[in-house]
Amino acid sequence: MARVFVYGTLKRGQPNHQVLLDPTNGCAAFRGRGRTLEPYPLVIAGERNIPRLLNLPGQGRLVLGEIYAVDERMLSFLDEFEGCPDVYQRTPVRVAVLEWEGARGAPEETPAADGTLQCFVYSTVTYAPEWVRLPHHDDYDFQGEHGLRYNPRENR
């Protein structure tokens, strides 16, 4: 099982969360909530108002999200779903665990002694230069105060 940190439309209560629940895509188990150890620019960009984590560690804000344990089939599905490697790139990120519901038995399933985990995240190095200057967010909600309505895939 691999760990994936999701910060946008894949989180619970967000428009694309159902893909993590669909067993035909593989297995995904919610493990907890966390925050990136380093700041990143989380922006809402493009004509579809998609949340995008720009791969610029050290810039932006500490980003809140959810941690999932996923099997290889789900990881492959997520790669395709996220347009990896062209649109997003799956990269490792250190996450501070804020809440943990995961198993405590296997060492690979539990946070380190310092309360952190290494997870995969879908971030991007392929973005319009002006996106760096967009407002940075620390927590995404498609109905947030930002007023930028996400345009779901089925409407495109």
Side-chain angles (χ1 to χ4, degrees):
M1 300 287 273
R3 288 186 298 262
V4 176
F5 178 75
V6 300
Y7 55 83
T9 65
L10 290 171
K11 294 189 308 184
R12 294 179 295 180
Q14 301 303 309
N16 291 321
H17 180 68
Q18 74 278 359
V19 303
L20 292 175
L21 304 177
D22 186 344
T24 62
N25 299 332
C27 178
F30 177 79
R31 292 295 186 237
R33 295 184 61 248
R35 180 181 58 231
T36 59
L37 278 182
E38 286 190 271
Y40 286 86
L42 172 57
V43 300
I44 302 169
E47 62 187 34
R48 298 181 184 117
N49 293 322
I50 297 172
R52 301 173 191 265
L53 191 71
L54 307 184
N55 194 347
L56 294 170
Q59 299 183 35
R61 296 180 173 192
L62 300 177
V63 177
L64 293 166
E66 298 174 350
I67 302 160
Y68 288 83
V70 302
D71 65 7
E72 281 298 318
R73 192 162 94 196
M74 180 61 78
L75 196 59
S76 294
F77 170 82
L78 290 173
D79 283 352
E80 184 177 326
F81 185 81
E82 297 289 4
C84 185
D86 301 324
V87 178
Y88 289 96
Q89 297 77 46
R90 179 168 32 108
T91 57
V93 65
R94 294 288 307 164
V95 174
V97 176
L98 303 175
E99 297 172 18
W100 188 250
E101 296 180 13
R104 294 260 179 216
E108 65 275 4
E109 281 287 321
T110 59
D114 64 359
T116 65
L117 285 172
Q118 178 109 349
C119 299
F120 287 121
V121 69
Y122 291 92
S123 62
T124 186
V125 295
T126 53
Y127 53 85
E130 61 271 15
W131 289 3
V132 176
R133 294 186 299 279
L134 292 172
H136 298 171
H137 303 272
D138 57 6
D139 192 14
Y140 175 80
D141 187 317
F142 81 109
Q143 295 178 320
E145 293 180 8
H146 50 74
L148 301 169
R149 291 284 180 217
Y150 172 73
N151 185 4
R153 290 170 184 252
E154 58 270 13
N155 294 347
R156 297 179 201 163

